[in-house]
Amino acid sequence: MYTQMSVAALFDLEHTAAAPLLQGKAYPWEALPQIAEFIRELGASLPPADYEQREESVWISRSAQIFPSAYLSGPAIIGPETEVRHGAFIRGSALVGAGCVVGNSTELKNVILFDKVQVPHYNYVGDSILGYRAHMGAGSITSNVKADRTAVQVSIEGERVETGLKKFGAMLGDRVEVGCNSVLNPGSVIGRDAHIYPLSMVRGFIPENSIYKKAGEIVARR
């Protein structure tokens, strides 16, 4: 096992309601097929004083702000003090934490967003997990399906880790910054506190506390 891609290496589970789902997993992407059912079970246990169930399998914190033109489909949970802005498209299996921003024309599908995550402008996030305070710049997206539709592998240290998943976007560790108009290819895993330059095309594992400038040029953060 590559411990630098483990749940413990990437995330502080104190900042997500998905902690029970992620605990015990070797790699975080193992949770992707279980997100929908976890949301349904968790949602049914949420206190009505704190969460409004607006439709089947959609629970929204009473302190969240949902703009009128946003679209939400279940199963989904929207956490406290989160903003879902105009034109956002949440199309199911989305567990969004506290204090998040889901912005204009942003689309979410089968995702976990830890607390304080920002995907504020024209982002697509699918089959992905974004850690505490992760931020995706305007126009940056996760690409979650390979062109040949085969199972996604994660490249690390010259090796390839099989995931068994045909849909797998990206795992972003806590406080990752992704620059504007970047593409995170299927199976991207970005370590904690790493920065991705704008206009990047990322593939495989990027170490924590590093700066990804371009393929073959990754430097340590000072």
Side-chain angles (χ1 to χ4, degrees):
M1 176 180 174
Y2 291 94
T3 57
Q4 59 267 56
M5 299 196 299
S6 68
V7 170
L10 293 171
F11 306 120
D12 180 350
L13 296 184
E14 292 185 2
H15 297 292
T16 179
L21 174 62
L22 292 166
Q23 286 168 344
K25 299 283 192 296
Y27 294 121
W29 57 81
E30 296 170 6
L32 293 177
Q34 302 169 21
I35 291 174
E37 186 56 33
F38 179 80
I39 291 172
R40 292 189 183 96
E41 293 177 0
L42 177 60
S45 71
L46 294 173
D50 298 329
Y51 284 82
E52 174 189 359
Q53 185 172 0
R54 294 199 178 178
E55 57 184 82
E56 184 177 359
S57 299
V58 176
W59 294 269
I60 299 174
S61 169
R62 296 187 183 276
S63 64
Q65 184 176 9
I66 311 298
F67 285 63
S69 63
Y71 175 88
L72 279 76
S73 178
I77 294 173
I78 308 299
E81 307 297 334
T82 283
E83 288 186 16
V84 180
R85 294 175 176 169
H86 283 294
F89 181 27
I90 298 178
R91 61 183 178 96
S93 301
L95 176 53
V96 181
C100 295
V101 175
V102 180
N104 173 39
S105 299
T106 290
E107 179 179 351
L108 304 182
K109 191 274 292 187
N110 200 47
V111 297
I112 296 170
L113 306 189
F114 279 50
D115 299 341
K116 303 290 187 181
V117 165
Q118 293 191 354
V119 282
H121 309 288
Y122 308 103
N123 306 111
Y124 173 68
V125 187
D127 300 285
S128 299
I129 300 175
L130 277 57
Y132 178 60
R133 288 190 178 274
H135 171 259
M136 294 183 67
S140 60
I141 65 168
T142 65
S143 174
N144 61 332
V145 180
K146 293 172 62 177
D148 61 6
R149 302 300 193 271
T150 58
V152 175
Q153 301 169 320
V154 180
S155 298
I156 180 172
E157 298 178 1
E159 302 291 333
R160 293 185 178 182
V161 177
E162 299 287 347
T163 71
L165 300 171
K166 290 188 177 181
K167 292 187 176 182
F168 170 4
M171 305 286 116
L172 271 58
D174 295 340
R175 299 174 298 279
V176 163
E177 291 280 344
V178 178
C180 296
N181 290 321
S182 293
V183 176
L184 307 180
N185 283 287
S188 294
V189 180
I190 316 299
R192 291 190 196 200
D193 299 296
H195 288 190
I196 307 298
Y197 265 21
L199 299 174
S200 294
M201 186 178 69
V202 180
R203 189 181 307 276
F205 174 69
I206 308 302
E208 65 177 29
N209 288 303
S210 64
I211 300 174
Y212 180 97
K213 297 185 175 182
K214 61 183 179 181
E217 188 175 356
I218 301 172
V219 301
R221 286 184 61 198
R222 296 180 179 178

